[in-house]
Every structure is written in structure tokens, then in C-alpha cells.
Amino acid sequence: MVESFHLLKYNKKDKSMKIFADNVTPRYITSMELIDYNSIAGGDKFGNFYITRYTPQAEETAVQVPYGGLLNGASE
């Protein structure tokens, strides 16, 4: 399966998770590491290294995604 990073926020009240950021570039991820609160580093099976960053305001735009749904950069 070719996917990338999806960042989720847990809502205690609803007991649900909402995606607030994802990477639209499909990758065969072999490794990843959290660098800081806003950054994730990753590597894929082709030897590419990349860093994905998001803005703190992205958490405010979290959307509910049905189980098994894929965002792939879409807002809903």
C-alpha cells in the first residue's frame, strides 16, 4: 500500500480521531521520526529522505473522516 503521513487529533468528548494534516505525495515509507511538534522526517524504499512540516493552525481545521476513508489532500 502506498501512503504517506496522516496527522490526527483525538477528541475526548466524542471519543473520535480527526485528521488535520496529511501528505498528498504517495510514498513507500520505510522509516519515520518525529523531529519536533511541527515536523516529521521520513525515508522511503527508494532512498529518498524528506521532511514534512505543518502549521499549528492546521489543528483547527481537523475534519472527521469515516473509518477506512482516505484524504489524499482533500478537505473532506
Side-chain angles (χ1 to χ4, degrees), residues 35-72:
I35 296 176
D36 60 24
Y37 189 76
N38 299 330
S39 307
I40 302 172
D44 65 18
K45 75 176 196 174
F46 302 109
N48 297 311
F49 173 78
Y50 51 92
I51 297 177
T52 301
R53 293 184 56 92
Y54 74 93
T55 63
Q57 294 82 13
E59 290 186 47
E60 299 168 8
T61 63
V63 295
Q64 182 68 42
V65 177
Y67 179 76
L70 300 175
L71 270 187
N72 292 331

PDB file of all heavy atoms in Angstrom, residues 35-72:
ATOM      1  N   ILE A  35      10.556  15.028  14.513  1.00  0.00           N
ATOM      2  CA  ILE A  35      11.666  15.944  14.759  1.00  0.00           C
ATOM      3  C   ILE A  35      11.296  16.921  15.862  1.00  0.00           C
ATOM      4  O   ILE A  35      12.041  17.125  16.812  1.00  0.00           O
ATOM      5  CB  ILE A  35      12.033  16.711  13.473  1.00  0.00           C
ATOM      6  CG1 ILE A  35      12.532  15.724  12.436  1.00  0.00           C
ATOM      7  CG2 ILE A  35      13.074  17.776  13.761  1.00  0.00           C
ATOM      8  CD1 ILE A  35      12.825  16.341  11.104  1.00  0.00           C
ATOM      9  N   ASP A  36      10.145  17.536  15.734  1.00  0.00           N
ATOM     10  CA  ASP A  36       9.614  18.427  16.752  1.00  0.00           C
ATOM     11  C   ASP A  36       8.095  18.405  16.629  1.00  0.00           C
ATOM     12  O   ASP A  36       7.547  17.584  15.898  1.00  0.00           O
ATOM     13  CB  ASP A  36      10.197  19.844  16.649  1.00  0.00           C
ATOM     14  CG  ASP A  36       9.922  20.517  15.311  1.00  0.00           C
ATOM     15  OD1 ASP A  36       8.939  20.156  14.626  1.00  0.00           O
ATOM     16  OD2 ASP A  36      10.679  21.424  14.935  1.00  0.00           O
ATOM     17  N   TYR A  37       7.432  19.311  17.334  1.00  0.00           N
ATOM     18  CA  TYR A  37       5.972  19.319  17.346  1.00  0.00           C
ATOM     19  C   TYR A  37       5.362  19.513  15.956  1.00  0.00           C
ATOM     20  O   TYR A  37       4.268  19.036  15.679  1.00  0.00           O
ATOM     21  CB  TYR A  37       5.470  20.405  18.302  1.00  0.00           C
ATOM     22  CG  TYR A  37       3.990  20.361  18.539  1.00  0.00           C
ATOM     23  CD1 TYR A  37       3.420  19.402  19.380  1.00  0.00           C
ATOM     24  CD2 TYR A  37       3.141  21.266  17.912  1.00  0.00           C
ATOM     25  CE1 TYR A  37       2.061  19.350  19.593  1.00  0.00           C
ATOM     26  CE2 TYR A  37       1.770  21.222  18.129  1.00  0.00           C
ATOM     27  CZ  TYR A  37       1.241  20.266  18.969  1.00  0.00           C
ATOM     28  OH  TYR A  37      -0.101  20.217  19.179  1.00  0.00           O
ATOM     29  N   ASN A  38       6.062  20.190  15.052  1.00  0.00           N
ATOM     30  CA  ASN A  38       5.514  20.520  13.729  1.00  0.00           C
ATOM     31  C   ASN A  38       6.189  19.792  12.579  1.00  0.00           C
ATOM     32  O   ASN A  38       5.873  20.076  11.428  1.00  0.00           O
ATOM     33  CB  ASN A  38       5.620  22.022  13.476  1.00  0.00           C
ATOM     34  CG  ASN A  38       4.857  22.836  14.480  1.00  0.00           C
ATOM     35  OD1 ASN A  38       3.853  22.393  15.005  1.00  0.00           O
ATOM     36  ND2 ASN A  38       5.341  24.024  14.772  1.00  0.00           N
ATOM     37  N   SER A  39       7.128  18.898  12.837  1.00  0.00           N
ATOM     38  CA  SER A  39       7.918  18.309  11.753  1.00  0.00           C
ATOM     39  C   SER A  39       8.082  16.801  11.897  1.00  0.00           C
ATOM     40  O   SER A  39       8.272  16.289  12.993  1.00  0.00           O
ATOM     41  CB  SER A  39       9.311  18.933  11.719  1.00  0.00           C
ATOM     42  OG  SER A  39       9.241  20.326  11.664  1.00  0.00           O
ATOM     43  N   ILE A  40       8.018  16.105  10.747  1.00  0.00           N
ATOM     44  CA  ILE A  40       8.257  14.672  10.691  1.00  0.00           C
ATOM     45  C   ILE A  40       9.251  14.416   9.565  1.00  0.00           C
ATOM     46  O   ILE A  40       9.086  14.919   8.460  1.00  0.00           O
ATOM     47  CB  ILE A  40       6.967  13.890  10.394  1.00  0.00           C
ATOM     48  CG1 ILE A  40       5.905  14.185  11.436  1.00  0.00           C
ATOM     49  CG2 ILE A  40       7.249  12.397  10.315  1.00  0.00           C
ATOM     50  CD1 ILE A  40       4.551  13.591  11.100  1.00  0.00           C
ATOM     51  N   ALA A  41      10.276  13.626   9.844  1.00  0.00           N
ATOM     52  CA  ALA A  41      11.235  13.220   8.815  1.00  0.00           C
ATOM     53  C   ALA A  41      10.902  11.797   8.405  1.00  0.00           C
ATOM     54  O   ALA A  41      10.426  10.992   9.216  1.00  0.00           O
ATOM     55  CB  ALA A  41      12.655  13.295   9.348  1.00  0.00           C
ATOM     56  N   GLY A  42      11.125  11.487   7.151  1.00  0.00           N
ATOM     57  CA  GLY A  42      10.824  10.140   6.675  1.00  0.00           C
ATOM     58  C   GLY A  42      11.761   9.712   5.574  1.00  0.00           C
ATOM     59  O   GLY A  42      12.463  10.525   4.963  1.00  0.00           O
ATOM     60  N   GLY A  43      11.765   8.427   5.336  1.00  0.00           N
ATOM     61  CA  GLY A  43      12.537   7.852   4.251  1.00  0.00           C
ATOM     62  C   GLY A  43      11.697   6.805   3.544  1.00  0.00           C
ATOM     63  O   GLY A  43      10.839   6.172   4.159  1.00  0.00           O
ATOM     64  N   ASP A  44      11.917   6.632   2.238  1.00  0.00           N
ATOM     65  CA  ASP A  44      11.155   5.629   1.503  1.00  0.00           C
ATOM     66  C   ASP A  44      12.082   4.555   0.939  1.00  0.00           C
ATOM     67  O   ASP A  44      13.301   4.649   1.059  1.00  0.00           O
ATOM     68  CB  ASP A  44      10.286   6.268   0.411  1.00  0.00           C
ATOM     69  CG  ASP A  44      11.075   6.938  -0.691  1.00  0.00           C
ATOM     70  OD1 ASP A  44      12.274   6.665  -0.855  1.00  0.00           O
ATOM     71  OD2 ASP A  44      10.480   7.767  -1.409  1.00  0.00           O
ATOM     72  N   LYS A  45      11.496   3.542   0.330  1.00  0.00           N
ATOM     73  CA  LYS A  45      12.277   2.402  -0.125  1.00  0.00           C
ATOM     74  C   LYS A  45      13.187   2.735  -1.308  1.00  0.00           C
ATOM     75  O   LYS A  45      14.038   1.935  -1.672  1.00  0.00           O
ATOM     76  CB  LYS A  45      11.375   1.224  -0.462  1.00  0.00           C
ATOM     77  CG  LYS A  45      10.603   1.323  -1.753  1.00  0.00           C
ATOM     78  CD  LYS A  45       9.844   0.039  -1.990  1.00  0.00           C
ATOM     79  CE  LYS A  45       9.371  -0.074  -3.412  1.00  0.00           C
ATOM     80  NZ  LYS A  45       8.756  -1.367  -3.682  1.00  0.00           N
ATOM     81  N   PHE A  46      13.037   3.905  -1.888  1.00  0.00           N
ATOM     82  CA  PHE A  46      13.882   4.317  -2.998  1.00  0.00           C
ATOM     83  C   PHE A  46      15.068   5.159  -2.541  1.00  0.00           C
ATOM     84  O   PHE A  46      15.814   5.685  -3.363  1.00  0.00           O
ATOM     85  CB  PHE A  46      13.057   5.094  -4.031  1.00  0.00           C
ATOM     86  CG  PHE A  46      11.907   4.284  -4.559  1.00  0.00           C
ATOM     87  CD1 PHE A  46      10.609   4.599  -4.199  1.00  0.00           C
ATOM     88  CD2 PHE A  46      12.112   3.202  -5.395  1.00  0.00           C
ATOM     89  CE1 PHE A  46       9.539   3.849  -4.662  1.00  0.00           C
ATOM     90  CE2 PHE A  46      11.054   2.445  -5.860  1.00  0.00           C
ATOM     91  CZ  PHE A  46       9.757   2.771  -5.494  1.00  0.00           C
ATOM     92  N   GLY A  47      15.224   5.328  -1.227  1.00  0.00           N
ATOM     93  CA  GLY A  47      16.353   6.075  -0.686  1.00  0.00           C
ATOM     94  C   GLY A  47      16.121   7.568  -0.564  1.00  0.00           C
ATOM     95  O   GLY A  47      17.055   8.314  -0.291  1.00  0.00           O
ATOM     96  N   ASN A  48      14.893   8.006  -0.772  1.00  0.00           N
ATOM     97  CA  ASN A  48      14.578   9.432  -0.632  1.00  0.00           C
ATOM     98  C   ASN A  48      14.388   9.786   0.836  1.00  0.00           C
ATOM     99  O   ASN A  48      13.793   9.032   1.596  1.00  0.00           O
ATOM    100  CB  ASN A  48      13.302   9.784  -1.403  1.00  0.00           C
ATOM    101  CG  ASN A  48      13.455   9.551  -2.877  1.00  0.00           C
ATOM    102  OD1 ASN A  48      14.423   9.972  -3.487  1.00  0.00           O
ATOM    103  ND2 ASN A  48      12.504   8.855  -3.460  1.00  0.00           N
ATOM    104  N   PHE A  49      14.879  10.956   1.220  1.00  0.00           N
ATOM    105  CA  PHE A  49      14.706  11.490   2.572  1.00  0.00           C
ATOM    106  C   PHE A  49      13.901  12.771   2.453  1.00  0.00           C
ATOM    107  O   PHE A  49      14.147  13.582   1.560  1.00  0.00           O
ATOM    108  CB  PHE A  49      16.076  11.783   3.204  1.00  0.00           C
ATOM    109  CG  PHE A  49      15.981  12.483   4.519  1.00  0.00           C
ATOM    110  CD1 PHE A  49      15.657  11.797   5.666  1.00  0.00           C
ATOM    111  CD2 PHE A  49      16.204  13.851   4.604  1.00  0.00           C
ATOM    112  CE1 PHE A  49      15.553  12.441   6.887  1.00  0.00           C
ATOM    113  CE2 PHE A  49      16.114  14.513   5.820  1.00  0.00           C
ATOM    114  CZ  PHE A  49      15.793  13.801   6.957  1.00  0.00           C
ATOM    115  N   TYR A  50      12.943  12.977   3.320  1.00  0.00           N
ATOM    116  CA  TYR A  50      12.115  14.179   3.235  1.00  0.00           C
ATOM    117  C   TYR A  50      11.653  14.591   4.623  1.00  0.00           C
ATOM    118  O   TYR A  50      11.633  13.791   5.557  1.00  0.00           O
ATOM    119  CB  TYR A  50      10.913  13.952   2.311  1.00  0.00           C
ATOM    120  CG  TYR A  50      10.136  12.717   2.644  1.00  0.00           C
ATOM    121  CD1 TYR A  50       9.054  12.771   3.506  1.00  0.00           C
ATOM    122  CD2 TYR A  50      10.493  11.484   2.115  1.00  0.00           C
ATOM    123  CE1 TYR A  50       8.346  11.636   3.828  1.00  0.00           C
ATOM    124  CE2 TYR A  50       9.796  10.344   2.445  1.00  0.00           C
ATOM    125  CZ  TYR A  50       8.724  10.427   3.295  1.00  0.00           C
ATOM    126  OH  TYR A  50       8.030   9.293   3.628  1.00  0.00           O
ATOM    127  N   ILE A  51      11.301  15.849   4.741  1.00  0.00           N
ATOM    128  CA  ILE A  51      10.765  16.393   5.981  1.00  0.00           C
ATOM    129  C   ILE A  51       9.427  17.037   5.666  1.00  0.00           C
ATOM    130  O   ILE A  51       9.317  17.833   4.735  1.00  0.00           O
ATOM    131  CB  ILE A  51      11.715  17.427   6.613  1.00  0.00           C
ATOM    132  CG1 ILE A  51      13.025  16.739   6.992  1.00  0.00           C
ATOM    133  CG2 ILE A  51      11.068  18.094   7.823  1.00  0.00           C
ATOM    134  CD1 ILE A  51      14.074  17.666   7.555  1.00  0.00           C
ATOM    135  N   THR A  52       8.416  16.671   6.424  1.00  0.00           N
ATOM    136  CA  THR A  52       7.081  17.240   6.269  1.00  0.00           C
ATOM    137  C   THR A  52       6.803  18.133   7.466  1.00  0.00           C
ATOM    138  O   THR A  52       6.995  17.726   8.604  1.00  0.00           O
ATOM    139  CB  THR A  52       6.026  16.117   6.201  1.00  0.00           C
ATOM    140  OG1 THR A  52       6.325  15.273   5.092  1.00  0.00           O
ATOM    141  CG2 THR A  52       4.638  16.682   6.044  1.00  0.00           C
ATOM    142  N   ARG A  53       6.384  19.365   7.186  1.00  0.00           N
ATOM    143  CA  ARG A  53       6.046  20.312   8.251  1.00  0.00           C
ATOM    144  C   ARG A  53       4.606  20.758   8.087  1.00  0.00           C
ATOM    145  O   ARG A  53       4.084  20.803   6.983  1.00  0.00           O
ATOM    146  CB  ARG A  53       6.951  21.544   8.194  1.00  0.00           C
ATOM    147  CG  ARG A  53       8.391  21.259   8.514  1.00  0.00           C
ATOM    148  CD  ARG A  53       9.221  22.523   8.550  1.00  0.00           C
ATOM    149  NE  ARG A  53       8.698  23.496   9.489  1.00  0.00           N
ATOM    150  CZ  ARG A  53       9.083  23.597  10.760  1.00  0.00           C
ATOM    151  NH1 ARG A  53       9.969  22.778  11.234  1.00  0.00           N
ATOM    152  NH2 ARG A  53       8.574  24.515  11.540  1.00  0.00           N
ATOM    153  N   TYR A  54       3.965  21.092   9.183  1.00  0.00           N
ATOM    154  CA  TYR A  54       2.629  21.663   9.127  1.00  0.00           C
ATOM    155  C   TYR A  54       2.564  22.850  10.079  1.00  0.00           C
ATOM    156  O   TYR A  54       3.361  22.973  10.999  1.00  0.00           O
ATOM    157  CB  TYR A  54       1.554  20.617   9.484  1.00  0.00           C
ATOM    158  CG  TYR A  54       1.489  20.272  10.949  1.00  0.00           C
ATOM    159  CD1 TYR A  54       0.614  20.934  11.790  1.00  0.00           C
ATOM    160  CD2 TYR A  54       2.302  19.291  11.480  1.00  0.00           C
ATOM    161  CE1 TYR A  54       0.554  20.627  13.132  1.00  0.00           C
ATOM    162  CE2 TYR A  54       2.253  18.979  12.825  1.00  0.00           C
ATOM    163  CZ  TYR A  54       1.383  19.646  13.648  1.00  0.00           C
ATOM    164  OH  TYR A  54       1.331  19.348  14.959  1.00  0.00           O
ATOM    165  N   THR A  55       1.624  23.729   9.839  1.00  0.00           N
ATOM    166  CA  THR A  55       1.469  24.900  10.698  1.00  0.00           C
ATOM    167  C   THR A  55       0.586  24.553  11.885  1.00  0.00           C
ATOM    168  O   THR A  55      -0.310  23.713  11.775  1.00  0.00           O
ATOM    169  CB  THR A  55       0.832  26.076   9.926  1.00  0.00           C
ATOM    170  OG1 THR A  55      -0.465  25.686   9.512  1.00  0.00           O
ATOM    171  CG2 THR A  55       1.659  26.460   8.721  1.00  0.00           C
ATOM    172  N   PRO A  56       0.816  25.163  13.028  1.00  0.00           N
ATOM    173  CA  PRO A  56      -0.023  24.896  14.198  1.00  0.00           C
ATOM    174  C   PRO A  56      -1.506  25.188  13.955  1.00  0.00           C
ATOM    175  O   PRO A  56      -2.365  24.572  14.569  1.00  0.00           O
ATOM    176  CB  PRO A  56       0.544  25.822  15.271  1.00  0.00           C
ATOM    177  CG  PRO A  56       1.960  26.047  14.859  1.00  0.00           C
ATOM    178  CD  PRO A  56       1.933  26.039  13.360  1.00  0.00           C
ATOM    179  N   GLN A  57      -1.825  26.090  13.048  1.00  0.00           N
ATOM    180  CA  GLN A  57      -3.218  26.409  12.748  1.00  0.00           C
ATOM    181  C   GLN A  57      -3.934  25.245  12.060  1.00  0.00           C
ATOM    182  O   GLN A  57      -5.158  25.216  11.999  1.00  0.00           O
ATOM    183  CB  GLN A  57      -3.318  27.658  11.867  1.00  0.00           C
ATOM    184  CG  GLN A  57      -2.856  28.925  12.535  1.00  0.00           C
ATOM    185  CD  GLN A  57      -1.336  29.095  12.487  1.00  0.00           C
ATOM    186  OE1 GLN A  57      -0.644  28.395  11.755  1.00  0.00           O
ATOM    187  NE2 GLN A  57      -0.817  30.004  13.286  1.00  0.00           N
ATOM    188  N   ALA A  58      -3.202  24.282  11.545  1.00  0.00           N
ATOM    189  CA  ALA A  58      -3.817  23.151  10.851  1.00  0.00           C
ATOM    190  C   ALA A  58      -4.716  22.346  11.784  1.00  0.00           C
ATOM    191  O   ALA A  58      -5.715  21.779  11.357  1.00  0.00           O
ATOM    192  CB  ALA A  58      -2.737  22.253  10.261  1.00  0.00           C
ATOM    193  N   GLU A  59      -4.388  22.289  13.072  1.00  0.00           N
ATOM    194  CA  GLU A  59      -5.205  21.532  14.028  1.00  0.00           C
ATOM    195  C   GLU A  59      -6.627  22.077  14.127  1.00  0.00           C
ATOM    196  O   GLU A  59      -7.554  21.343  14.436  1.00  0.00           O
ATOM    197  CB  GLU A  59      -4.562  21.535  15.404  1.00  0.00           C
ATOM    198  CG  GLU A  59      -3.310  20.707  15.465  1.00  0.00           C
ATOM    199  CD  GLU A  59      -2.761  20.605  16.864  1.00  0.00           C
ATOM    200  OE1 GLU A  59      -3.547  20.325  17.790  1.00  0.00           O
ATOM    201  OE2 GLU A  59      -1.550  20.815  17.023  1.00  0.00           O
ATOM    202  N   GLU A  60      -6.805  23.372  13.873  1.00  0.00           N
ATOM    203  CA  GLU A  60      -8.125  23.984  13.943  1.00  0.00           C
ATOM    204  C   GLU A  60      -9.025  23.550  12.799  1.00  0.00           C
ATOM    205  O   GLU A  60     -10.238  23.717  12.862  1.00  0.00           O
ATOM    206  CB  GLU A  60      -7.987  25.502  13.962  1.00  0.00           C
ATOM    207  CG  GLU A  60      -7.209  26.016  15.166  1.00  0.00           C
ATOM    208  CD  GLU A  60      -6.824  27.475  15.034  1.00  0.00           C
ATOM    209  OE1 GLU A  60      -7.279  28.143  14.086  1.00  0.00           O
ATOM    210  OE2 GLU A  60      -6.061  27.940  15.889  1.00  0.00           O
ATOM    211  N   THR A  61      -8.450  22.995  11.739  1.00  0.00           N
ATOM    212  CA  THR A  61      -9.234  22.611  10.566  1.00  0.00           C
ATOM    213  C   THR A  61      -9.467  21.109  10.500  1.00  0.00           C
ATOM    214  O   THR A  61      -9.782  20.577   9.445  1.00  0.00           O
ATOM    215  CB  THR A  61      -8.523  23.065   9.275  1.00  0.00           C
ATOM    216  OG1 THR A  61      -7.268  22.390   9.183  1.00  0.00           O
ATOM    217  CG2 THR A  61      -8.310  24.554   9.254  1.00  0.00           C
ATOM    218  N   ALA A  62      -9.331  20.400  11.624  1.00  0.00           N
ATOM    219  CA  ALA A  62      -9.500  18.948  11.640  1.00  0.00           C
ATOM    220  C   ALA A  62     -10.877  18.563  11.131  1.00  0.00           C
ATOM    221  O   ALA A  62     -11.875  19.201  11.443  1.00  0.00           O
ATOM    222  CB  ALA A  62      -9.292  18.411  13.059  1.00  0.00           C
ATOM    223  N   VAL A  63     -10.927  17.503  10.327  1.00  0.00           N
ATOM    224  CA  VAL A  63     -12.193  17.014   9.777  1.00  0.00           C
ATOM    225  C   VAL A  63     -12.370  15.548  10.155  1.00  0.00           C
ATOM    226  O   VAL A  63     -11.418  14.791  10.240  1.00  0.00           O
ATOM    227  CB  VAL A  63     -12.257  17.160   8.240  1.00  0.00           C
ATOM    228  CG1 VAL A  63     -12.247  18.613   7.842  1.00  0.00           C
ATOM    229  CG2 VAL A  63     -11.139  16.416   7.556  1.00  0.00           C
ATOM    230  N   GLN A  64     -13.626  15.161  10.366  1.00  0.00           N
ATOM    231  CA  GLN A  64     -13.936  13.772  10.657  1.00  0.00           C
ATOM    232  C   GLN A  64     -13.888  12.987   9.366  1.00  0.00           C
ATOM    233  O   GLN A  64     -14.496  13.361   8.373  1.00  0.00           O
ATOM    234  CB  GLN A  64     -15.328  13.664  11.280  1.00  0.00           C
ATOM    235  CG  GLN A  64     -15.717  12.262  11.673  1.00  0.00           C
ATOM    236  CD  GLN A  64     -14.891  11.755  12.837  1.00  0.00           C
ATOM    237  OE1 GLN A  64     -14.640  12.493  13.773  1.00  0.00           O
ATOM    238  NE2 GLN A  64     -14.473  10.524  12.767  1.00  0.00           N
ATOM    239  N   VAL A  65     -13.166  11.890   9.377  1.00  0.00           N
ATOM    240  CA  VAL A  65     -13.064  11.037   8.197  1.00  0.00           C
ATOM    241  C   VAL A  65     -13.635   9.674   8.568  1.00  0.00           C
ATOM    242  O   VAL A  65     -13.257   9.098   9.586  1.00  0.00           O
ATOM    243  CB  VAL A  65     -11.589  10.892   7.755  1.00  0.00           C
ATOM    244  CG1 VAL A  65     -11.482   9.948   6.577  1.00  0.00           C
ATOM    245  CG2 VAL A  65     -11.031  12.248   7.400  1.00  0.00           C
ATOM    246  N   PRO A  66     -14.554   9.160   7.756  1.00  0.00           N
ATOM    247  CA  PRO A  66     -15.129   7.852   8.070  1.00  0.00           C
ATOM    248  C   PRO A  66     -14.041   6.783   8.129  1.00  0.00           C
ATOM    249  O   PRO A  66     -13.028   6.880   7.451  1.00  0.00           O
ATOM    250  CB  PRO A  66     -16.075   7.584   6.899  1.00  0.00           C
ATOM    251  CG  PRO A  66     -16.282   8.887   6.242  1.00  0.00           C
ATOM    252  CD  PRO A  66     -15.081   9.733   6.544  1.00  0.00           C
ATOM    253  N   TYR A  67     -14.257   5.768   8.924  1.00  0.00           N
ATOM    254  CA  TYR A  67     -13.287   4.676   9.054  1.00  0.00           C
ATOM    255  C   TYR A  67     -12.955   4.119   7.676  1.00  0.00           C
ATOM    256  O   TYR A  67     -13.839   3.821   6.897  1.00  0.00           O
ATOM    257  CB  TYR A  67     -13.844   3.568   9.942  1.00  0.00           C
ATOM    258  CG  TYR A  67     -12.899   2.415  10.093  1.00  0.00           C
ATOM    259  CD1 TYR A  67     -11.784   2.520  10.921  1.00  0.00           C
ATOM    260  CD2 TYR A  67     -13.087   1.254   9.386  1.00  0.00           C
ATOM    261  CE1 TYR A  67     -10.898   1.480  11.052  1.00  0.00           C
ATOM    262  CE2 TYR A  67     -12.208   0.198   9.506  1.00  0.00           C
ATOM    263  CZ  TYR A  67     -11.110   0.318  10.338  1.00  0.00           C
ATOM    264  OH  TYR A  67     -10.228  -0.718  10.460  1.00  0.00           O
ATOM    265  N   GLY A  68     -11.676   3.998   7.391  1.00  0.00           N
ATOM    266  CA  GLY A  68     -11.237   3.479   6.110  1.00  0.00           C
ATOM    267  C   GLY A  68     -11.191   4.516   5.012  1.00  0.00           C
ATOM    268  O   GLY A  68     -10.765   4.236   3.904  1.00  0.00           O
ATOM    269  N   GLY A  69     -11.590   5.763   5.292  1.00  0.00           N
ATOM    270  CA  GLY A  69     -11.556   6.813   4.288  1.00  0.00           C
ATOM    271  C   GLY A  69     -10.155   7.317   4.046  1.00  0.00           C
ATOM    272  O   GLY A  69      -9.289   7.248   4.906  1.00  0.00           O
ATOM    273  N   LEU A  70      -9.911   7.819   2.868  1.00  0.00           N
ATOM    274  CA  LEU A  70      -8.608   8.373   2.524  1.00  0.00           C
ATOM    275  C   LEU A  70      -8.761   9.844   2.205  1.00  0.00           C
ATOM    276  O   LEU A  70      -9.634  10.237   1.440  1.00  0.00           O
ATOM    277  CB  LEU A  70      -8.024   7.648   1.298  1.00  0.00           C
ATOM    278  CG  LEU A  70      -7.802   6.147   1.451  1.00  0.00           C
ATOM    279  CD1 LEU A  70      -7.356   5.564   0.137  1.00  0.00           C
ATOM    280  CD2 LEU A  70      -6.780   5.870   2.536  1.00  0.00           C
ATOM    281  N   LEU A  71      -7.911  10.669   2.762  1.00  0.00           N
ATOM    282  CA  LEU A  71      -7.976  12.097   2.475  1.00  0.00           C
ATOM    283  C   LEU A  71      -7.227  12.437   1.195  1.00  0.00           C
ATOM    284  O   LEU A  71      -7.734  13.118   0.328  1.00  0.00           O
ATOM    285  CB  LEU A  71      -7.379  12.893   3.625  1.00  0.00           C
ATOM    286  CG  LEU A  71      -8.339  13.301   4.722  1.00  0.00           C
ATOM    287  CD1 LEU A  71      -7.651  14.220   5.696  1.00  0.00           C
ATOM    288  CD2 LEU A  71      -9.556  13.970   4.176  1.00  0.00           C
ATOM    289  N   ASN A  72      -5.975  12.024   1.123  1.00  0.00           N
ATOM    290  CA  ASN A  72      -5.139  12.340  -0.038  1.00  0.00           C
ATOM    291  C   ASN A  72      -5.204  13.806  -0.420  1.00  0.00           C
ATOM    292  O   ASN A  72      -5.351  14.176  -1.571  1.00  0.00           O
ATOM    293  CB  ASN A  72      -5.514  11.470  -1.236  1.00  0.00           C
ATOM    294  CG  ASN A  72      -5.153  10.025  -1.006  1.00  0.00           C
ATOM    295  OD1 ASN A  72      -4.204   9.733  -0.287  1.00  0.00           O
ATOM    296  ND2 ASN A  72      -5.896   9.123  -1.589  1.00  0.00           N
TER     297      ASN A  72
END
